[in-house]
Amino acid sequence: MNKKDLAAMIDHTLLAPNAKVEQIIRLCQEADRYGFASVCVNPIYVNVCASELKDSPVKVCTVIGFPLGATTTESKVFEARNAVANGADEIDMVIDITAAIEGRFSNVTTDIAAVVEGSKEEGKKIGKEIIVKTILETCFLDDSTITNCCLCAKKAGADFVKTSTGFANPKSIDGKSLPNGANEHHIALMRQAVGPDMGVKASGGVRSYRTAIALIKAGASRIGTSSGINLLREAEN
């Protein structure tokens, strides 16, 4: 894969709670310079990014119900609509993780569908096609639950399924930290569940070119990372 094609698959991400406006502006400038798919930022910075990227093909992506997914559906819908009105092109929403773990998949579907409908409806008001991605937080889910959540997202009309927020901190029964973020197994499982036409985004811990390529080979069509520039530099070597 050449450098340009890889860049076009990357969501250039800065979701740190202490991110400053100057850093967000730099993120936008980098995304435009390197040809990334989007910048992914917290909702408070959507209007800043929309202004900075108004003459650029780079999209503005933001996160909803982030990072826990534990807000009400109504709150997520309001947040998504507000983000679109402020200039967001892509919405990455966190699902109701507890509902998924407990097997309440109808609740998962309803939650996603409401955000999809609200986002796309808001987009139509301004003549914009909005992309909605659903964050599963796969580190908390077994394979069967991941598959079922993917099917929920597909049924709800989402455009992508996404692995992780990058903020989860799963622990074993003895308190030791467990792996989180994207891995090849989960990406392959998600791709199998949604089929060839729906997007699959790998995010969380993607810090090297080698990792990104492995995830793409496993089925990822988008990569969320704060290390996009380093990935492209490694691709040159």
Side-chain angles (χ1 to χ4, degrees):
M1 175 173 290
N2 65 46
K3 181 178 173 181
K4 183 178 179 181
D5 289 342
L6 177 59
M9 298 176 71
I10 291 174
D11 289 347
H12 194 36
T13 303
L14 178 54
L15 295 168
N18 60 340
K20 299 177 182 177
V21 173
E22 63 189 46
Q23 293 174 290
I24 297 296
I25 291 173
R26 189 183 313 125
L27 187 84
C28 293
Q29 293 170 343
E30 291 169 348
D32 189 47
R33 183 184 315 133
Y34 288 96
F36 291 133
S38 81
V39 291
C40 187
V41 298
N42 283 305
I44 195 170
Y45 290 127
V46 164
N47 58 348
V48 174
C49 295
S51 176
E52 287 293 317
L53 295 168
K54 63 181 184 296
D55 298 319
S56 170
V58 176
K59 303 298 184 183
V60 179
C61 173
T62 194
V63 289
I64 301 300
F66 192 85
L68 303 178
T71 51
T72 64
T73 298
E74 291 80 6
S75 296
K76 291 178 185 178
V77 171
F78 175 84
E79 195 176 7
R81 283 183 176 273
N82 181 252
V84 172
N86 285 337
D89 303 292
E90 302 189 355
I91 297 294
D92 287 19
M93 67 159 291
V94 187
I95 67 166
D96 183 341
I97 298 166
T98 300
I101 292 169
E102 294 179 345
R104 293 185 281 111
F105 296 113
S106 62
N107 294 79
V108 175
T109 302
T110 299
D111 188 52
I112 298 169
V115 174
V116 170
E117 181 180 355
S119 301
K120 293 183 180 288
E121 192 176 86
E122 199 68 32
K124 284 181 181 178
K125 293 179 182 178
I126 52 176
K128 183 186 287 187
E129 183 65 35
I130 304 300
I131 297 296
V132 179
K133 312 186 197 91
T134 53
I135 307 174
L136 308 187
E137 205 67 286
T138 48
C139 62
F140 292 128
L141 310 178
D142 60 27
D143 286 3
S144 176
T145 305
I146 290 170
T147 295
N148 277 305
C149 286
C150 288
L151 296 176
C152 290
K154 190 171 185 178
K155 183 178 180 181
D159 302 286
F160 277 75
V161 286
K162 174 180 171 180
T163 55
S164 319
T165 64
F167 284 78
N169 186 25
K171 293 183 178 181
S172 65
I173 195 167
D174 59 358
K176 294 182 179 179
S177 293
L178 297 173
N180 67 358
N183 63 57
E184 294 169 61
H185 172 70
H186 287 160
I187 290 294
L189 189 67
M190 292 162 72
R191 173 54 68 197
Q192 182 179 20
V194 301
D197 299 324
M198 191 171 173
V200 176
K201 178 175 174 179
S203 63
V206 186
R207 300 187 182 93
S208 72
Y209 172 75
R210 182 176 181 179
T211 299
I213 294 301
L215 292 167
I216 290 167
K217 287 180 178 178
S221 49
R222 193 78 71 90
I223 301 291
T225 179
S226 58
S227 303
I229 295 173
N230 289 335
L231 265 60
L232 297 186
R233 286 172 179 163
E234 288 180 16
E236 295 173 346
N237 300 325

mmCIF file of all heavy atoms in Angstrom, residues 142-184:
data_model
loop_
_atom_site.group_PDB
_atom_site.id
_atom_site.type_symbol
_atom_site.label_atom_id
_atom_site.label_comp_id
_atom_site.label_asym_id
_atom_site.label_seq_id
_atom_site.Cartn_x
_atom_site.Cartn_y
_atom_site.Cartn_z
ATOM 1 N N ASP A 142 -17.144 -10.464 24.355
ATOM 2 C CA ASP A 142 -16.677 -11.722 23.775
ATOM 3 C C ASP A 142 -17.030 -11.745 22.282
ATOM 4 O O ASP A 142 -17.728 -10.865 21.772
ATOM 5 C CB ASP A 142 -17.238 -12.935 24.520
ATOM 6 C CG ASP A 142 -18.766 -13.010 24.509
ATOM 7 O OD1 ASP A 142 -19.402 -12.477 23.572
ATOM 8 O OD2 ASP A 142 -19.332 -13.612 25.435
ATOM 9 N N ASP A 143 -16.543 -12.756 21.592
ATOM 10 C CA ASP A 143 -16.697 -12.809 20.141
ATOM 11 C C ASP A 143 -18.160 -12.814 19.700
ATOM 12 O O ASP A 143 -18.530 -12.124 18.737
ATOM 13 C CB ASP A 143 -15.998 -14.044 19.580
ATOM 14 C CG ASP A 143 -14.481 -13.912 19.564
ATOM 15 O OD1 ASP A 143 -13.978 -12.876 20.052
ATOM 16 O OD2 ASP A 143 -13.807 -14.832 19.064
ATOM 17 N N SER A 144 -18.974 -13.574 20.391
ATOM 18 C CA SER A 144 -20.388 -13.647 20.039
ATOM 19 C C SER A 144 -21.062 -12.283 20.193
ATOM 20 O O SER A 144 -21.869 -11.875 19.342
ATOM 21 C CB SER A 144 -21.089 -14.686 20.916
ATOM 22 O OG SER A 144 -22.478 -14.709 20.657
ATOM 23 N N THR A 145 -20.724 -11.585 21.262
ATOM 24 C CA THR A 145 -21.315 -10.265 21.504
ATOM 25 C C THR A 145 -20.835 -9.258 20.465
ATOM 26 O O THR A 145 -21.621 -8.422 19.989
ATOM 27 C CB THR A 145 -20.974 -9.776 22.914
ATOM 28 O OG1 THR A 145 -21.380 -10.763 23.866
ATOM 29 C CG2 THR A 145 -21.696 -8.473 23.233
ATOM 30 N N ILE A 146 -19.573 -9.326 20.088
ATOM 31 C CA ILE A 146 -19.061 -8.445 19.034
ATOM 32 C C ILE A 146 -19.825 -8.669 17.741
ATOM 33 O O ILE A 146 -20.252 -7.718 17.071
ATOM 34 C CB ILE A 146 -17.547 -8.678 18.830
ATOM 35 C CG1 ILE A 146 -16.763 -8.160 20.039
ATOM 36 C CG2 ILE A 146 -17.062 -7.998 17.539
ATOM 37 C CD1 ILE A 146 -15.299 -8.555 20.041
ATOM 38 N N THR A 147 -20.009 -9.919 17.385
ATOM 39 C CA THR A 147 -20.756 -10.240 16.157
ATOM 40 C C THR A 147 -22.168 -9.691 16.230
ATOM 41 O O THR A 147 -22.668 -9.073 15.275
ATOM 42 C CB THR A 147 -20.790 -11.764 15.941
ATOM 43 O OG1 THR A 147 -19.457 -12.232 15.713
ATOM 44 C CG2 THR A 147 -21.660 -12.128 14.748
ATOM 45 N N ASN A 148 -22.836 -9.910 17.354
ATOM 46 C CA ASN A 148 -24.211 -9.426 17.500
ATOM 47 C C ASN A 148 -24.288 -7.900 17.453
ATOM 48 O O ASN A 148 -25.215 -7.335 16.865
ATOM 49 C CB ASN A 148 -24.815 -9.946 18.801
ATOM 50 C CG ASN A 148 -25.367 -11.345 18.667
ATOM 51 O OD1 ASN A 148 -26.197 -11.618 17.799
ATOM 52 N ND2 ASN A 148 -24.918 -12.253 19.510
ATOM 53 N N CYS A 149 -23.301 -7.221 18.048
ATOM 54 C CA CYS A 149 -23.291 -5.758 18.013
ATOM 55 C C CYS A 149 -23.076 -5.246 16.590
ATOM 56 O O CYS A 149 -23.661 -4.228 16.189
ATOM 57 C CB CYS A 149 -22.214 -5.214 18.936
ATOM 58 S SG CYS A 149 -22.625 -5.353 20.686
ATOM 59 N N CYS A 150 -22.251 -5.932 15.835
ATOM 60 C CA CYS A 150 -22.061 -5.567 14.434
ATOM 61 C C CYS A 150 -23.372 -5.699 13.657
ATOM 62 O O CYS A 150 -23.720 -4.834 12.838
ATOM 63 C CB CYS A 150 -20.988 -6.442 13.795
ATOM 64 S SG CYS A 150 -19.301 -6.084 14.329
ATOM 65 N N LEU A 151 -24.096 -6.755 13.919
ATOM 66 C CA LEU A 151 -25.379 -6.959 13.255
ATOM 67 C C LEU A 151 -26.392 -5.893 13.676
ATOM 68 O O LEU A 151 -27.198 -5.436 12.863
ATOM 69 C CB LEU A 151 -25.905 -8.362 13.558
ATOM 70 C CG LEU A 151 -25.046 -9.523 13.027
ATOM 71 C CD1 LEU A 151 -25.620 -10.867 13.477
ATOM 72 C CD2 LEU A 151 -24.939 -9.465 11.501
ATOM 73 N N CYS A 152 -26.324 -5.476 14.945
ATOM 74 C CA CYS A 152 -27.180 -4.379 15.422
ATOM 75 C C CYS A 152 -26.875 -3.096 14.652
ATOM 76 O O CYS A 152 -27.785 -2.379 14.220
ATOM 77 C CB CYS A 152 -26.943 -4.130 16.918
ATOM 78 S SG CYS A 152 -27.540 -5.426 18.023
ATOM 79 N N ALA A 153 -25.588 -2.799 14.510
ATOM 80 C CA ALA A 153 -25.178 -1.582 13.808
ATOM 81 C C ALA A 153 -25.626 -1.612 12.350
ATOM 82 O O ALA A 153 -26.090 -0.599 11.802
ATOM 83 C CB ALA A 153 -23.668 -1.410 13.911
ATOM 84 N N LYS A 154 -25.483 -2.762 11.741
ATOM 85 C CA LYS A 154 -25.895 -2.901 10.341
ATOM 86 C C LYS A 154 -27.404 -2.716 10.202
ATOM 87 O O LYS A 154 -27.886 -1.989 9.317
ATOM 88 C CB LYS A 154 -25.462 -4.272 9.825
ATOM 89 C CG LYS A 154 -25.618 -4.450 8.322
ATOM 90 C CD LYS A 154 -24.960 -5.748 7.862
ATOM 91 C CE LYS A 154 -25.015 -5.865 6.342
ATOM 92 N NZ LYS A 154 -24.330 -7.099 5.874
ATOM 93 N N LYS A 155 -28.147 -3.346 11.088
ATOM 94 C CA LYS A 155 -29.607 -3.223 11.077
ATOM 95 C C LYS A 155 -30.044 -1.780 11.325
ATOM 96 O O LYS A 155 -31.041 -1.312 10.752
ATOM 97 C CB LYS A 155 -30.207 -4.145 12.141
ATOM 98 C CG LYS A 155 -31.730 -4.154 12.177
ATOM 99 C CD LYS A 155 -32.239 -5.134 13.231
ATOM 100 C CE LYS A 155 -33.762 -5.157 13.270
ATOM 101 N NZ LYS A 155 -34.259 -6.107 14.310
ATOM 102 N N ALA A 156 -29.308 -1.063 12.158
ATOM 103 C CA ALA A 156 -29.664 0.306 12.523
ATOM 104 C C ALA A 156 -29.289 1.330 11.453
ATOM 105 O O ALA A 156 -29.627 2.499 11.577
ATOM 106 C CB ALA A 156 -28.983 0.679 13.844
ATOM 107 N N GLY A 157 -28.569 0.889 10.425
ATOM 108 C CA GLY A 157 -28.233 1.784 9.332
ATOM 109 C C GLY A 157 -26.922 2.539 9.494
ATOM 110 O O GLY A 157 -26.674 3.508 8.769
ATOM 111 N N ALA A 158 -26.090 2.103 10.423
ATOM 112 C CA ALA A 158 -24.785 2.749 10.589
ATOM 113 C C ALA A 158 -23.906 2.457 9.374
ATOM 114 O O ALA A 158 -24.119 1.484 8.645
ATOM 115 C CB ALA A 158 -24.113 2.254 11.861
ATOM 116 N N ASP A 159 -22.904 3.292 9.180
ATOM 117 C CA ASP A 159 -22.006 3.151 8.040
ATOM 118 C C ASP A 159 -20.742 2.356 8.364
ATOM 119 O O ASP A 159 -20.141 1.760 7.475
ATOM 120 C CB ASP A 159 -21.603 4.541 7.528
ATOM 121 C CG ASP A 159 -22.803 5.378 7.129
ATOM 122 O OD1 ASP A 159 -23.385 5.091 6.067
ATOM 123 O OD2 ASP A 159 -23.165 6.294 7.883
ATOM 124 N N PHE A 160 -20.355 2.386 9.626
ATOM 125 C CA PHE A 160 -19.138 1.705 10.086
ATOM 126 C C PHE A 160 -19.387 1.046 11.434
ATOM 127 O O PHE A 160 -20.229 1.510 12.217
ATOM 128 C CB PHE A 160 -18.006 2.718 10.318
ATOM 129 C CG PHE A 160 -17.210 3.134 9.133
ATOM 130 C CD1 PHE A 160 -17.738 4.021 8.207
ATOM 131 C CD2 PHE A 160 -15.908 2.680 8.946
ATOM 132 C CE1 PHE A 160 -16.995 4.455 7.126
ATOM 133 C CE2 PHE A 160 -15.150 3.111 7.866
ATOM 134 C CZ PHE A 160 -15.694 4.001 6.946
ATOM 135 N N VAL A 161 -18.623 0.020 11.712
ATOM 136 C CA VAL A 161 -18.424 -0.445 13.088
ATOM 137 C C VAL A 161 -16.966 -0.155 13.432
ATOM 138 O O VAL A 161 -16.082 -0.215 12.574
ATOM 139 C CB VAL A 161 -18.740 -1.942 13.270
ATOM 140 C CG1 VAL A 161 -20.227 -2.183 13.254
ATOM 141 C CG2 VAL A 161 -18.045 -2.800 12.212
ATOM 142 N N LYS A 162 -16.725 0.181 14.685
ATOM 143 C CA LYS A 162 -15.397 0.623 15.137
ATOM 144 C C LYS A 162 -15.034 -0.116 16.411
ATOM 145 O O LYS A 162 -15.885 -0.353 17.268
ATOM 146 C CB LYS A 162 -15.442 2.142 15.359
ATOM 147 C CG LYS A 162 -14.199 2.763 15.968
ATOM 148 C CD LYS A 162 -14.392 4.276 16.115
ATOM 149 C CE LYS A 162 -13.274 4.924 16.911
ATOM 150 N NZ LYS A 162 -13.457 6.382 17.056
ATOM 151 N N THR A 163 -13.768 -0.452 16.574
ATOM 152 C CA THR A 163 -13.358 -1.281 17.703
ATOM 153 C C THR A 163 -13.447 -0.580 19.057
ATOM 154 O O THR A 163 -14.075 -1.087 19.984
ATOM 155 C CB THR A 163 -11.906 -1.781 17.526
ATOM 156 O OG1 THR A 163 -11.047 -0.658 17.332
ATOM 157 C CG2 THR A 163 -11.798 -2.743 16.361
ATOM 158 N N SER A 164 -12.821 0.611 19.169
ATOM 159 C CA SER A 164 -12.492 1.097 20.501
ATOM 160 C C SER A 164 -12.492 2.616 20.624
ATOM 161 O O SER A 164 -12.357 3.327 19.628
ATOM 162 C CB SER A 164 -11.078 0.624 20.879
ATOM 163 O OG SER A 164 -10.837 -0.707 20.480
ATOM 164 N N THR A 165 -12.599 3.069 21.864
ATOM 165 C CA THR A 165 -12.428 4.492 22.155
ATOM 166 C C THR A 165 -10.961 4.851 22.361
ATOM 167 O O THR A 165 -10.566 5.997 22.181
ATOM 168 C CB THR A 165 -13.176 4.892 23.442
ATOM 169 O OG1 THR A 165 -12.588 4.196 24.560
ATOM 170 C CG2 THR A 165 -14.654 4.573 23.352
ATOM 171 N N GLY A 166 -10.182 3.870 22.803
ATOM 172 C CA GLY A 166 -8.805 4.129 23.200
ATOM 173 C C GLY A 166 -8.688 4.549 24.656
ATOM 174 O O GLY A 166 -7.592 4.745 25.170
ATOM 175 N N PHE A 167 -9.843 4.678 25.340
ATOM 176 C CA PHE A 167 -9.850 5.137 26.724
ATOM 177 C C PHE A 167 -10.239 4.038 27.715
ATOM 178 O O PHE A 167 -10.230 4.274 28.921
ATOM 179 C CB PHE A 167 -10.805 6.321 26.884
ATOM 180 C CG PHE A 167 -10.257 7.613 26.355
ATOM 181 C CD1 PHE A 167 -10.243 7.874 24.991
ATOM 182 C CD2 PHE A 167 -9.751 8.585 27.198
ATOM 183 C CE1 PHE A 167 -9.736 9.060 24.476
ATOM 184 C CE2 PHE A 167 -9.233 9.780 26.702
ATOM 185 C CZ PHE A 167 -9.227 10.012 25.343
ATOM 186 N N ALA A 168 -10.592 2.877 27.231
ATOM 187 C CA ALA A 168 -11.019 1.799 28.123
ATOM 188 C C ALA A 168 -9.836 1.271 28.927
ATOM 189 O O ALA A 168 -8.693 1.274 28.455
ATOM 190 C CB ALA A 168 -11.645 0.670 27.332
ATOM 191 N N ASN A 169 -10.131 0.783 30.123
ATOM 192 C CA ASN A 169 -9.084 0.232 30.982
ATOM 193 C C ASN A 169 -9.575 -1.070 31.611
ATOM 194 O O ASN A 169 -9.821 -1.140 32.821
ATOM 195 C CB ASN A 169 -8.703 1.238 32.071
ATOM 196 C CG ASN A 169 -7.528 0.768 32.905
ATOM 197 O OD1 ASN A 169 -6.711 -0.036 32.454
ATOM 198 N ND2 ASN A 169 -7.443 1.253 34.134
ATOM 199 N N PRO A 170 -9.718 -2.113 30.777
ATOM 200 C CA PRO A 170 -10.202 -3.389 31.315
ATOM 201 C C PRO A 170 -9.183 -4.015 32.252
ATOM 202 O O PRO A 170 -7.974 -3.880 32.040
ATOM 203 C CB PRO A 170 -10.396 -4.247 30.055
ATOM 204 C CG PRO A 170 -9.424 -3.666 29.070
ATOM 205 C CD PRO A 170 -9.395 -2.191 29.345
ATOM 206 N N LYS A 171 -9.689 -4.692 33.293
ATOM 207 C CA LYS A 171 -8.793 -5.315 34.271
ATOM 208 C C LYS A 171 -9.234 -6.736 34.570
ATOM 209 O O LYS A 171 -10.422 -7.069 34.493
ATOM 210 C CB LYS A 171 -8.770 -4.494 35.562
ATOM 211 C CG LYS A 171 -8.138 -3.108 35.400
ATOM 212 C CD LYS A 171 -8.073 -2.362 36.722
ATOM 213 C CE LYS A 171 -7.401 -1.005 36.540
ATOM 214 N NZ LYS A 171 -7.296 -0.256 37.810
ATOM 215 N N SER A 172 -8.270 -7.561 34.927
ATOM 216 C CA SER A 172 -8.554 -8.931 35.328
ATOM 217 C C SER A 172 -9.124 -8.930 36.740
ATOM 218 O O SER A 172 -9.150 -7.904 37.429
ATOM 219 C CB SER A 172 -7.279 -9.770 35.283
ATOM 220 O OG SER A 172 -6.355 -9.297 36.251
ATOM 221 N N ILE A 173 -9.545 -10.098 37.201
ATOM 222 C CA ILE A 173 -10.150 -10.212 38.527
ATOM 223 C C ILE A 173 -9.170 -9.836 39.633
ATOM 224 O O ILE A 173 -9.569 -9.411 40.722
ATOM 225 C CB ILE A 173 -10.696 -11.646 38.734
ATOM 226 C CG1 ILE A 173 -11.650 -11.682 39.925
ATOM 227 C CG2 ILE A 173 -9.560 -12.646 38.872
ATOM 228 C CD1 ILE A 173 -12.459 -12.953 40.010
ATOM 229 N N ASP A 174 -7.867 -9.948 39.339
ATOM 230 C CA ASP A 174 -6.858 -9.564 40.337
ATOM 231 C C ASP A 174 -6.349 -8.141 40.139
ATOM 232 O O ASP A 174 -5.364 -7.724 40.756
ATOM 233 C CB ASP A 174 -5.696 -10.561 40.331
ATOM 234 C CG ASP A 174 -5.007 -10.664 38.982
ATOM 235 O OD1 ASP A 174 -5.451 -9.988 38.032
ATOM 236 O OD2 ASP A 174 -4.028 -11.429 38.875
ATOM 237 N N GLY A 175 -7.035 -7.381 39.283
ATOM 238 C CA GLY A 175 -6.730 -5.963 39.134
ATOM 239 C C GLY A 175 -5.666 -5.611 38.120
ATOM 240 O O GLY A 175 -5.314 -4.435 37.969
ATOM 241 N N LYS A 176 -5.164 -6.593 37.390
ATOM 242 C CA LYS A 176 -4.141 -6.318 36.388
ATOM 243 C C LYS A 176 -4.781 -5.808 35.098
ATOM 244 O O LYS A 176 -5.838 -6.283 34.692
ATOM 245 C CB LYS A 176 -3.319 -7.575 36.098
ATOM 246 C CG LYS A 176 -2.474 -8.037 37.282
ATOM 247 C CD LYS A 176 -1.650 -9.260 36.916
ATOM 248 C CE LYS A 176 -0.785 -9.707 38.100
ATOM 249 N NZ LYS A 176 0.000 -10.927 37.763
ATOM 250 N N SER A 177 -4.130 -4.846 34.461
ATOM 251 C CA SER A 177 -4.656 -4.288 33.212
ATOM 252 C C SER A 177 -4.626 -5.324 32.098
ATOM 253 O O SER A 177 -3.657 -6.089 31.963
ATOM 254 C CB SER A 177 -3.842 -3.059 32.792
ATOM 255 O OG SER A 177 -4.028 -2.000 33.700
ATOM 256 N N LEU A 178 -5.683 -5.337 31.314
ATOM 257 C CA LEU A 178 -5.800 -6.243 30.176
ATOM 258 C C LEU A 178 -5.670 -5.438 28.878
ATOM 259 O O LEU A 178 -5.844 -4.216 28.876
ATOM 260 C CB LEU A 178 -7.153 -6.950 30.227
ATOM 261 C CG LEU A 178 -7.391 -7.852 31.427
ATOM 262 C CD1 LEU A 178 -8.838 -8.351 31.433
ATOM 263 C CD2 LEU A 178 -6.429 -9.040 31.416
ATOM 264 N N PRO A 179 -5.383 -6.126 27.767
ATOM 265 C CA PRO A 179 -5.237 -5.408 26.491
ATOM 266 C C PRO A 179 -6.537 -4.714 26.084
ATOM 267 O O PRO A 179 -7.635 -5.206 26.358
ATOM 268 C CB PRO A 179 -4.892 -6.529 25.501
ATOM 269 C CG PRO A 179 -4.387 -7.655 26.329
ATOM 270 C CD PRO A 179 -5.122 -7.574 27.634
ATOM 271 N N ASN A 180 -6.387 -3.563 25.449
ATOM 272 C CA ASN A 180 -7.545 -2.912 24.843
ATOM 273 C C ASN A 180 -7.146 -2.445 23.451
ATOM 274 O O ASN A 180 -6.042 -2.706 22.990
ATOM 275 C CB ASN A 180 -8.062 -1.761 25.706
ATOM 276 C CG ASN A 180 -7.094 -0.593 25.787
ATOM 277 O OD1 ASN A 180 -5.994 -0.649 25.228
ATOM 278 N ND2 ASN A 180 -7.472 0.446 26.493
ATOM 279 N N GLY A 181 -8.036 -1.763 22.774
ATOM 280 C CA GLY A 181 -7.716 -1.290 21.439
ATOM 281 C C GLY A 181 -7.939 -2.342 20.370
ATOM 282 O O GLY A 181 -8.506 -3.409 20.619
ATOM 283 N N ALA A 182 -7.499 -2.022 19.165
ATOM 284 C CA ALA A 182 -7.762 -2.877 17.999
ATOM 285 C C ALA A 182 -6.798 -4.054 17.924
ATOM 286 O O ALA A 182 -5.631 -3.935 18.277
ATOM 287 C CB ALA A 182 -7.653 -2.044 16.732
ATOM 288 N N ASN A 183 -7.312 -5.180 17.444
ATOM 289 C CA ASN A 183 -6.445 -6.304 17.111
ATOM 290 C C ASN A 183 -7.003 -7.014 15.873
ATOM 291 O O ASN A 183 -8.159 -6.827 15.498
ATOM 292 C CB ASN A 183 -6.266 -7.270 18.291
ATOM 293 C CG ASN A 183 -7.560 -7.931 18.729
ATOM 294 O OD1 ASN A 183 -8.229 -8.584 17.930
ATOM 295 N ND2 ASN A 183 -7.923 -7.769 19.999
ATOM 296 N N GLU A 184 -6.157 -7.803 15.245
ATOM 297 C CA GLU A 184 -6.528 -8.437 13.983
ATOM 298 C C GLU A 184 -7.722 -9.377 14.134
ATOM 299 O O GLU A 184 -8.584 -9.448 13.248
ATOM 300 C CB GLU A 184 -5.330 -9.195 13.420
ATOM 301 C CG GLU A 184 -4.177 -8.301 12.997
ATOM 302 C CD GLU A 184 -2.923 -9.097 12.704
ATOM 303 O OE1 GLU A 184 -2.964 -9.940 11.785
ATOM 304 O OE2 GLU A 184 -1.905 -8.887 13.407
#
